[in-house]
Amino acid sequence: MTVSVDRPQGMDSAESVALLDPAPLGAAAPAIGVREPRAVLARPRIVGVGTATSPTSYTQEEVLEAFGITDPRIRSVFLNSAIERRNLSLPDPDDDGVRPVEPQGDLLDKHKRMAVDMGAEALLNCLRRAGADLSDLRHLCCVTSTGFLTPGISALLIRELGIDRHCSRSDIVGMGCNAGLNALNVVAGWSAANPGDLAVVLCVEACSAAYAMDSTMRTAVVNSLFGDGAGAVALLTDPTEIPLTLAGPPAGEPAAAASGGPGILKFASCIIPDAVDAMRYEWDRDLGRFSFYLDPLIPYVVGAHAEIVVDRLLSGTGLRRSDIGHWLVHSGGKKVVDAVVVNLGLTRHAVRHTTGVLRDHGNVSSGSFLFSYERLHDEGVAAPGDYGVLMTMGPGSTLETALIRW
């Protein structure tokens, strides 16, 4: 795989204008390509977070034993992954102690069952932390890449939990591990357009329903990495709040309380077309099921582009990387995290939540960054005025980022 790393052209100062602030109703549309100043409005704020996993946690050694894996090369991949435990839903062993191969239809059924169970738990945990009830929910966006359902997870949860039938909803399916921030970007726009209404992004990944088992290193890498998990984040735009700007509150006004959660300031993306096939979920004709492929070089490709997308995110804000107090990076794997740390010049302490989630849960795909955010929230160290960067990466290949401020 050959990938060129070209730094994008610098953006003009208009990039610092609120990307989430809509133009006034009735205003004439500007010409395409022409940026016009917009009034700074209150921005969406994160007001709650919640997570959930499948019930059973396995060590890497236990997973190897469960499937009778003795190949030393494959065992080495599992045992040198920086992962201690993962939550998984494994098939029950038969009378001979052998765990059967699950056909694709059974995996889809498992995905549906687990998505509803974990999704409901994460959603309720999130609403509880937000001081809200199901009756307060006005928009539900569900994200998954571990199975295809029609109707989607949002409709199934509305029925399962008795959510108001008029709650608007959206489903993002198949975008991969980066998709949580793609969803956050879209739902932040919905929140800004609907001040006072509560929205939730729910990432549900039943990775136990999206695996293939053979003796190749290709499947070994994937099977050593992923775990089941769901993460939910609640957004609310308060129309009475002091407008939140990139530079902070207006002169003489106090900063918002950190306990209220950070405001979402800006997003930036970077897709790498040369690496479009480096991460893919496709039908394996030999195994008769879907199988995920990871190019061995992808950690280094992602790392090489991390600086580019973060520089774009901070362009026009007056901020430097050293001004960012909190880094919440997708727990994509040891090599991915190491590559991001090296290329951005971060300390190991800066990614302690990322590595902690990887250690305790593995890669929980699109919800990983929410597991890290929950740990930061519970740590209670974020202070008013602190800046944070959220970063995810996944198929495309792509990196997604968001800038937040407490």
Side-chain angles (χ1 to χ4, degrees), residues 27-280:
I32 294 176
V34 176
R35 298 178 184 267
E36 293 189 355
R38 289 168 286 181
V40 178
L41 305 177
R43 297 172 187 255
R45 186 176 293 281
I46 296 174
V47 296
V49 64
T51 60
T53 63
S54 55
T56 307
S57 177
Y58 296 87
T59 66
Q60 294 287 62
E61 184 69 44
E62 288 170 339
V63 176
L64 291 169
E65 292 177 0
F67 287 100
I69 297 172
T70 58
D71 186 323
R73 299 174 306 150
I74 295 178
R75 291 182 65 88
S76 178
V77 170
F78 275 72
L79 299 177
N80 293 282
S81 59
I83 298 170
E84 294 182 5
R85 307 190 68 88
R86 292 179 288 157
N87 291 82
L88 297 168
S89 178
L90 303 181
D92 293 328
D94 60 21
D95 294 339
D96 297 322
V98 178
R99 295 181 188 266
V101 175
E102 298 172 279
Q104 186 63 53
D106 289 354
L107 293 178
L108 290 173
D109 291 342
K110 179 192 283 190
H111 167 74
K112 181 177 181 179
R113 181 179 67 256
M114 294 179 64
V116 171
D117 290 346
M118 291 192 301
E121 183 180 351
L123 174 59
L124 292 173
N125 288 339
C126 175
L127 292 175
R128 175 178 52 80
R129 287 195 168 204
D133 299 315
L134 287 171
S135 60
D136 299 311
L137 187 58
R138 294 294 178 268
H139 184 86
L140 176 62
C141 175
C142 294
V143 179
T144 191
S145 293
T146 55
F148 182 79
L149 294 173
T150 302
I153 295 172
S154 64
L156 297 176
L157 284 173
I158 286 175
R159 181 186 66 178
E160 179 74 15
L161 297 176
I163 297 170
D164 186 345
R165 63 192 294 182
H166 302 295
C167 176
S168 68
R169 62 188 181 92
S170 52
D171 288 83
I172 295 179
V173 180
M175 287 194 75
C177 297
N178 53 280
L181 276 184
N182 296 94
L184 191 68
N185 192 344
V186 172
V187 176
W190 184 94
S191 180
N194 295 271
D197 287 345
L198 186 69
V200 169
V201 173
L202 173 62
C203 302
V204 185
E205 304 291 4
C207 295
S208 295
Y211 74 96
M213 186 67 69
D214 60 19
S215 59
T216 66
M217 291 300 291
R218 165 180 169 165
T219 59
V221 171
V222 174
N223 292 338
S224 72
L225 186 58
F226 291 95
D228 302 328
V233 60
L235 302 182
L236 184 68
T237 301
D238 184 352
T240 67
E241 185 177 67
I242 298 169
L244 183 65
T245 68
L246 288 163
E253 297 288 354
S259 61
I264 300 174
L265 302 179
K266 187 181 177 185
F267 293 88
S269 304
C270 179
I271 191 168
I272 312 166
D274 290 343
V276 70
D277 290 325
M279 291 181 272
R280 59 185 189 269

